[in-house]
Amino acid sequence: AALGVPAETLGPDSSVGGFPEWNSLGHMLVVTEIERHFSVAIDSEKIMELESVADFAEAIAAIRGER
């Protein structure tokens, strides 16, 4: 929803720059939506390291203590 693209077009390998909508502004929209949806806070330094859907999934799991 943050990028305005259908969810089914995203997969674990989807990454920054893979869609015109996933630019620097889109990246911050994704971060904000993920933090809200999963009730997590992603460290600002970590945000810059997250480049794919899989990266976000790993970060959420780590924050929640699942990894």
Side-chain angles (χ1 to χ4, degrees):
L3 296 176
V5 298
E8 59 272 5
T9 64
L10 297 171
D13 294 329
S14 297
S15 62
V16 174
F19 298 87
E21 299 84 359
W22 198 344
N23 52 27
S24 57
L25 176 60
H27 191 69
M28 294 312 298
L29 293 172
V30 169
V31 169
T32 302
E33 183 65 20
I34 285 174
E35 288 179 324
R36 185 196 63 74
H37 181 80
F38 291 99
S39 298
V40 297
I42 302 172
D43 181 83
S44 59
E45 291 181 21
K46 182 70 174 169
I47 288 171
M48 301 313 294
E49 297 173 10
L50 302 173
E51 296 184 353
S52 69
V53 171
D55 290 346
F56 277 100
E58 288 178 24
I60 294 164
I63 291 167
R64 292 178 151 187
E66 297 169 4
R67 289 204 154 187

